[in-house]
Amino acid sequence: MPLEPLRDHSGPLATLKAVALLVLGFATLLPVNLLQLASLVLLPFSKKAFRAVNRWCADTWWGLCVTAADRLYKVQVIFAGDEVPMRENALVAANHQQMPDIPAIMKFARTKDRLGDLKFFVKKQLKWVPGMGWGMQFLDCLFIDRDWTADRETIRRTFSRLVDDKVPVYLVSFVEGTRLTLPKLAAAQDYARAHSPRPPVHTLVPRTKGFVASVEGLRSYIDAVYDLTIAYDNAVPSLWQFLKGLVRRIHVHVRRFPVHDLPDAPDDLRLWLLDRWKEKDDLLEHFYTTGSFHTGSKRSNVQR
């Protein structure tokens, strides 16, 4: 079974610390939004300059978030698996347990000089939320309904724009479509039993249509697909618990697949992703049994 949610025994001081950090974060994010809004004057003259300003905004503000986790909370992000080259264009596919997964991915991107180039699939409802929602509109993020019929044309146009304008890309896709919970896991296991002999234990069944569309739309442009497996030591924390300083370590296993090694046919690509998620389920089982992703082939390394 997946880990239980983290139990919170923190006191009022931790809550005060989290509130102060939220207020500070929002207070610094709104001026960044204003700078992003001002960058619109550049758009008619130079898309490159417009995107350079917004990349700097993302790299700076998200960089502050990563630094806060490093310096204030001493969070260790422990990487294992494949070495990844610097500054590649990539599709990043990851499992999703809770919101602290995102700071871990940001840490990973920062070590490869791609923090400001992160793109996310975002719920369309968040598009007009002050701060983060406003800011992500300037970063070529994909605001979607999570309905393939409704989203297909939006995704196609966005990918075409990224490729045509040669925009650096680190596109993050939580291909399970949602965060892992026990009810969602039970539903995924029921679905898997009807379609395969082996239901998942630690992951949900990935939604393959968006992944296939992402690879097809970006195949000529990206260098690789990164398969990230994210795990926690004893229990899964919420974002609020992360802000309260209750998270000490996040574990990330990285696998790099050159895009030219991926199957060409859409159905073969769908099966390829399903196979990766079966391997991910096994990898998480190994981690929860041994406390490490290390299987004898690669050493883990701690990034602070």
Side-chain angles (χ1 to χ4, degrees), residues 229-300:
T229 302
I230 303 170
Y232 300 89
D233 284 323
N234 300 306
V236 180
S238 66
L239 180 60
W240 183 241
Q241 290 168 329
F242 182 87
L243 293 173
K244 291 169 79 171
L246 304 184
V247 179
R248 288 291 172 263
R249 298 195 297 181
I250 305 175
H251 302 264
V252 181
H253 185 275
V254 182
R255 298 183 72 190
R256 178 185 181 275
F257 296 92
V259 71
H260 56 72
D261 289 345
L262 268 61
D264 293 321
D267 195 55
D268 290 340
L269 197 55
R270 180 185 69 83
L271 294 174
W272 182 91
L273 180 66
L274 292 173
D275 286 342
R276 299 293 76 74
W277 243 248
K278 291 175 184 176
E279 293 171 357
K280 186 184 298 291
D281 206 56
D282 291 338
L283 186 61
L284 286 167
E285 177 66 26
H286 176 80
F287 178 86
Y288 293 140
T289 302
T290 67
S292 172
F293 284 129
H294 182 53
T295 59
S297 59
K298 301 277 186 181
R299 289 188 176 274
S300 301

Side-chain angles (χ1 to χ4, degrees), residues 23-210:
V23 171
L24 178 62
F26 193 73
T28 56
L29 185 53
L30 287 181
V32 172
N33 283 167
L34 291 175
L35 179 57
Q36 290 180 293
L37 185 62
S39 72
L40 286 171
V41 301
L42 298 171
L43 191 55
F45 307 101
S46 173
K47 291 181 182 179
K48 185 176 181 179
F50 167 78
R51 287 197 170 99
V53 170
N54 284 281
R55 184 192 189 279
W56 180 89
C57 289
D59 189 69
T60 300
W61 196 83
W62 284 338
L64 289 174
C65 295
V66 172
T67 299
D70 287 349
R71 304 284 178 84
L72 296 180
Y73 295 137
K74 310 297 182 184
V75 177
Q76 294 180 329
V77 182
I78 303 173
F79 295 113
D82 295 342
E83 293 293 332
V84 170
M86 298 289 290
R87 293 181 290 278
E88 282 194 315
N89 289 323
L91 172 61
V92 181
N95 63 314
H96 195 19
Q97 298 189 67
Q98 259 292 354
M99 292 301 289
D101 299 344
I102 295 177
I105 292 174
M106 287 181 173
K107 177 68 175 185
F108 170 70
R110 193 184 201 189
T111 64
K112 302 305 173 184
D113 195 26
R114 277 293 193 236
L115 181 58
D117 301 315
L118 284 174
K119 321 288 181 194
F120 293 91
F121 289 93
V122 188
K123 292 180 182 178
K124 187 172 287 186
Q125 299 92 311
L126 299 177
K127 188 173 186 178
W128 303 108
V129 173
M132 189 63 71
W134 291 353
M136 294 179 83
Q137 289 193 57
F138 290 84
L139 301 176
D140 294 297
C141 291
L142 293 98
F143 292 88
I144 57 175
D145 288 315
R146 295 189 176 178
D147 178 310
W148 176 243
T149 302
D151 294 331
R152 179 167 48 189
E153 184 58 23
T154 298
I155 292 172
R156 187 198 65 78
R157 286 199 309 267
T158 302
F159 288 165
S160 178
R161 185 169 66 249
L162 293 174
V163 173
D164 291 345
D165 293 347
K166 295 182 171 56
V167 180
V169 171
Y170 238 49
L171 177 62
V172 178
S173 178
F174 293 114
V175 297
E176 292 162 316
T178 186
R179 284 172 280 176
L180 177 69
T181 65
L182 287 177
K184 291 172 183 175
L185 176 61
Q189 290 172 333
D190 288 342
Y191 174 85
R193 288 188 187 99
H195 295 84
S196 69
R198 182 182 139 186
V201 178
H202 303 289
T203 64
L204 303 179
V205 177
R207 300 182 181 185
T208 57
K209 287 184 179 179

